[in-house]
Amino acid sequence: MTDVMLQISDLTVHLGGKHVLDNFSLTVASGEQVLVTAPSGTGKSTLLRCILGFLSPRAGTIALR
C-alpha cells in the first residue's frame, strides 16, 4: 500500500464572489510527482495558497503529511 502524502477533498474557494475552486479533490502518493497546468485564471495559485495555509477554503479538507 502506498502512503498518501497529500489528500485534498472537496475543496471550495470563493474569491470576490467568484467560485475559484469548486469541490476540487486530489490525492498524491508519497514519491509521486504531479504537475498542475491549466490556463490563466483557473485557480492554480489559489490551490497552492490553500495548501500552504495562506488562504482558508470555504469548504473541504487538506491533509499534508
Side-chain angles (χ1 to χ4, degrees), residues 25-60:
S25 296
L26 173 70
T27 300
V28 180
S30 181
E32 187 176 25
Q33 296 179 4
V34 176
L35 173 68
V36 178
T37 181
S40 178
T42 56
K44 299 176 304 291
S45 294
T46 300
L47 175 62
L48 183 58
R49 285 187 201 105
C50 288
I51 293 170
L52 295 174
F54 298 145
L55 184 62
S56 296
R58 172 172 250 169

